[in-house]
């Protein structure tokens, strides 16, 4: 199995080009199910999760061509509406095909995703949304089996009692081809949700209130969507934030290209709290300049535009070398501190009480063998390894490959000593 070997304490320097956002690309790929014509998606990140969803679409009967960050997807001849366990268990986001399949084909069965390293992650809100639109939902042998009324899904008022990114995306896609108007209350406002809503508008549905927590979707009444223009995936705000953390912990000046600066504002604010400054910012690029000594940081994760839970582990790694104790409270997921014990193996001094972590500063981190446990936890280990004395070996990096596009190649270009090896 592949592992990463990192020799720490080398300064980084140079420019890194940020890839397209995995979490934006996934719902866009799922939304191609709503069309019976070619859809072109550009700036797709070269990561395993994208390949997994494209594979699922192929299994459903779609025509897929994928090369060089671009895909042509044609869902004219879909002949199955079943997302099997073997795929869904590899990637929970496969649940995103539920809404579009049901909306266009009036039926869908999707394997229940099952357990997950960062908590239970139920899908009850996804199901509540499609039920509100008239779907009948049953659980059969580990599958969610949903059927729309014969005349198709109908517009409804969907009130989410918790903000859910995937739930909002599924509701949007289900509503896009439904009859009548759907209102989504307490909708997620993440940039990835915004891009999906914009795509649906390009295809002929009408979504109002984009970027707010109240969305109104005028469905096409059964008419498939038609995306005439290619759609370019937005930059990955989590990948961008991860590289900023790498710059901070190694006290290196790094320039990020192809970012959307608005999307990473809370990350920038927290790094400023830690003493970093930012030079030459434009809407698509900026340079991080770390201080002489990193300062402590206090973080509470929240829905967008709050501080992203997907950046929590990376900041924890950086905070290990701050001047004073930092506190991080995780409010979105109940078990998203799997990286704590691995960071402690590298010499960090992190204490956990419930959903709060206290990160006591240490003088140095020291390389060790560690294990990646989930996607963002893995990148926290890379961040820590870059600053640790000696060599760190990070195992189970298939987590990292799910979401970071050519990580070691990009890092090598910045001067990091990182290699992929096989054991
Ligand atoms: C998405 C992101 C993930 C990010 C998360 C929160 C993708 C592919 N993944 O995940 O990287 O960490 O948003 O920003 O975009 N919940 C329920 N019932 C549901 C759905 C969710 O209780 O039916 C809960 C979850 O357990 C969690 C919270 O709502 O506590 C937020 O989850 P959600 O926003 O749905 O996360 P995902 O869409 O799975």
């Amino acid at each position: 199995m592949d592992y990463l070997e990192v020799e720490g304490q080398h300064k980084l320097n140079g420019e890194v080009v940020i890839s397209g956002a995995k979490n934006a690309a996934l719902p866009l790929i799922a939304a191609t199910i709503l069309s019976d014509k070619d859809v072109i998606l550009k700036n797709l990140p070269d990561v395993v999760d994208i390949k997994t969803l494209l594979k699922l679409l192929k299994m459903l009967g779609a025509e897929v061509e994928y090369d060089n960050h671009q895909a042509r997807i044609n869902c004219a001849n879909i002949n199955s509406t079943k997302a099997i366990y073997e795929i869904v268990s590899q990637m929970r986001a496969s649940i995103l095909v539920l809404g579009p399949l049901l909306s266009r084909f009036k039926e869908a069965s999707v394997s229940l995703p099952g357990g997950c390293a960062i908590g239970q992650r139920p899908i009850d809100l996804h199901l509540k949304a499609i039920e509100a639109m008239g779907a009948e939902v049953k659980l059969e042998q580990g599958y969610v089996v949903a059927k729309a009324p014969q005349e198709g899904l109908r517009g409804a008022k969907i009130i989410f009692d918790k903000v859910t990114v995937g739930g909002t995306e599924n509701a949007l896609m289900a509503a896009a081809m439904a009859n009548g108007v759907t209102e989504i209350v307490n909708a997620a406002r993440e940039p990835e949700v915004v891009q999906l809503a914009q795509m649906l508008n390009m295809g002929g549905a009408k979504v109002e209130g984009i970027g707010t927590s109240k969305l109104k979707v005028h469905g096409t009444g059964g008419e498939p969507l038609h995306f005439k223009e290619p759609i370019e995936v937005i930059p990955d705000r989590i990948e961008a934030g991860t590289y900023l953390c790498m710059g901070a912990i190694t006290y290196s000046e790094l320039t990020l290209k192809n970012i959307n600066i608005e999307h990473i504002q809370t990350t920038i604010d927290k790094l400023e709290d830690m003493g970093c400054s930012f030079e030459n910012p434009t809407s698509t690029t900026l340079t991080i300049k770390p201080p002489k000594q990193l300062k402590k940081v206090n973080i509470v994760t929240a829905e967008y535009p709050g501080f992203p839970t997907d950046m929590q582990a990376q900041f924890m790694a950086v905070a290990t070398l701050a001047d004073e104790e930092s506190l991080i409270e995780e409010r979105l997921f109940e078990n998203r501190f799997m990286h704590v014990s691995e960071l402690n193996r590298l010499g960090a001094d992190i204490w956990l009480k419930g959903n709060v972590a206290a990160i006591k500063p240490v003088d140095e981190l020291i390389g060790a063998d560690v294990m990646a446990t989930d996607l963002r936890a893995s990148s926290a280990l890379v961040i820590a390894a870059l600053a640790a004395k000696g060599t760190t070996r990070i195992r189970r990096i298939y987590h990292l490959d799910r979401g970071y596009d050519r990580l070691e190649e990009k890092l090598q270009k910045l001067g990091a000593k990182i290699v992929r090896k096989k054991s």
Side-chain angles (χ1 to χ4, degrees):
M1 225 190 286
D2 287 7
Y3 68 94
L4 284 176
E5 193 168 276
V6 184
E7 190 187 296
Q9 297 193 331
H10 292 281
K11 280 240 176 200
L12 308 180
N13 140 54
E15 289 179 3
V16 57
V17 179
I18 299 305
S19 299
K22 165 183 89 73
N23 286 355
L26 292 172
L28 302 193
I29 293 171
T32 65
I33 293 174
L34 295 165
S35 177
D36 58 357
K37 302 207 165 52
D38 274 4
V39 188
I40 309 284
L41 298 176
K42 291 182 161 182
N43 198 33
L44 293 168
D46 190 8
V47 298
V48 171
D49 272 9
I50 297 300
K51 290 177 192 147
T52 305
L53 191 55
L54 291 174
K55 187 169 151 195
L56 172 57
L57 257 61
K58 269 193 191 169
M59 288 170 90
L60 300 178
E63 233 177 75
V64 177
E65 278 170 19
Y66 173 55
D67 189 32
N68 198 17
H69 305 277
Q70 184 166 317
R72 181 187 66 83
I73 304 170
N74 188 308
C75 294
N77 297 319
I78 288 219
N79 51 23
S80 162
T81 53
K82 184 168 182 176
I84 61 169
Y85 177 74
E86 285 68 18
I87 296 279
V88 183
S89 59
Q90 281 173 39
M91 187 185 65
R92 300 179 51 83
S94 311
I95 189 71
L96 289 171
V97 300
L98 177 66
L101 281 176
L102 190 61
S103 197
R104 178 152 166 233
F105 300 101
K106 299 181 189 155
E107 58 169 40
S109 63
V110 180
S111 167
L112 277 172
C116 150
I118 62 171
Q120 280 188 34
R121 300 184 80 169
I123 54 160
D124 56 316
L125 300 173
H126 299 241
L127 303 185
K128 211 177 136 194
I130 55 170
E131 277 174 335
M133 300 177 77
E136 197 185 287
V137 179
K138 283 194 247 161
L139 290 183
E140 280 173 13
Q141 295 174 320
Y143 280 75
V144 169
V145 180
K147 284 200 166 38
Q150 230 176 7
E151 63 284 5
L153 292 174
R154 53 176 181 266
K157 188 164 186 169
I158 298 165
I159 304 174
F160 285 122
D161 55 21
K162 196 171 192 180
V163 177
T164 158
V165 174
T168 304
E169 291 166 346
N170 246 333
L172 274 170
M173 291 187 277
M177 277 183 66
N179 301 300
V181 179
T182 300
E183 261 186 86
I184 307 173
V185 179
N186 202 20
R189 292 181 287 162
E190 269 66 4
E192 295 77 20
V193 176
V194 168
Q195 182 163 42
L196 173 66
Q198 287 166 339
M199 172 173 174
L200 298 177
N201 277 353
M202 284 171 71
K206 190 171 154 209
V207 186
E208 292 169 347
I210 295 181
T212 75
S213 57
K214 201 167 178 183
L215 298 169
K216 206 176 199 183
V217 189
H218 300 259
T220 61
E223 190 61 35
L225 272 54
H226 185 185
F227 305 100
K228 293 182 192 139
E229 303 293 328
I231 296 149
E232 177 141 354
V233 178
I234 57 172
D236 194 319
R237 62 195 168 102
I238 307 303
E239 189 197 17
T242 302
Y243 281 98
L244 291 178
C245 286
M246 289 169 175
I249 201 167
T250 58
Y251 290 94
S252 307
E253 262 187 57
L254 290 185
T255 298
L256 268 52
K257 299 259 168 167
N258 188 33
I259 54 166
N260 183 323
I261 201 158
E262 256 182 53
H263 296 170
I264 57 169
Q265 203 50 58
T266 45
T267 296
I268 291 175
D269 290 350
K270 288 297 169 190
L271 285 167
E272 278 176 346
D273 288 354
M274 297 185 90
C276 298
S277 53
F278 291 89
E279 289 183 347
N280 310 320
T282 70
S283 56
T284 59
T285 168
L286 95 170
T287 300
I288 179 170
K289 208 169 169 190
K292 289 231 151 40
Q293 168 61 52
L294 288 164
K295 294 194 213 146
K296 68 165 187 175
V297 66
N298 290 328
I299 287 173
V300 179
T301 63
E303 294 87 11
Y304 191 86
F307 183 88
T309 171
D310 284 355
M311 280 306 302
Q312 179 257 102
Q314 297 90 316
F315 268 80
M316 193 177 295
V318 181
T320 58
L321 295 178
D323 59 347
E324 289 176 41
E325 179 175 311
S326 301
L327 289 176
I328 297 185
E329 182 175 347
E330 171 58 53
R331 288 231 179 128
L332 267 68
F333 292 107
E334 73 269 25
N335 190 20
R336 205 173 196 179
F337 280 137
M338 308 279 283
H339 41 286
V340 168
S341 51
E342 297 305 298
L343 287 172
N344 283 347
R345 288 174 59 74
L346 293 170
D349 187 5
I350 307 170
W351 292 83
L352 269 183
K353 188 150 194 236
N355 62 341
V356 179
I359 304 107
K360 294 176 197 276
V362 292
D363 290 337
E364 61 179 6
L365 297 171
I366 298 171
D369 281 18
V370 289
M371 209 168 69
T373 48
D374 68 63
L375 173 55
R376 306 305 170 186
S378 324
S379 60
L381 295 178
V382 176
I383 291 169
L386 289 170
K389 191 166 146 188
T391 303
T392 300
R393 274 173 293 272
I394 307 170
R395 301 187 190 274
R396 300 203 182 168
I397 54 168
Y398 49 83
H399 290 293
L400 217 85
D401 294 336
R402 285 189 38 214
Y404 284 92
D405 188 356
R406 290 163 293 139
L407 179 85
E408 65 267 25
E409 190 187 315
K410 289 187 186 188
L411 273 171
Q412 283 159 2
K413 274 196 193 139
L414 294 172
K417 304 278 177 257
I418 180 168
V419 280
R420 182 180 287 255
K421 292 192 167 176
K422 281 193 191 300
S423 56

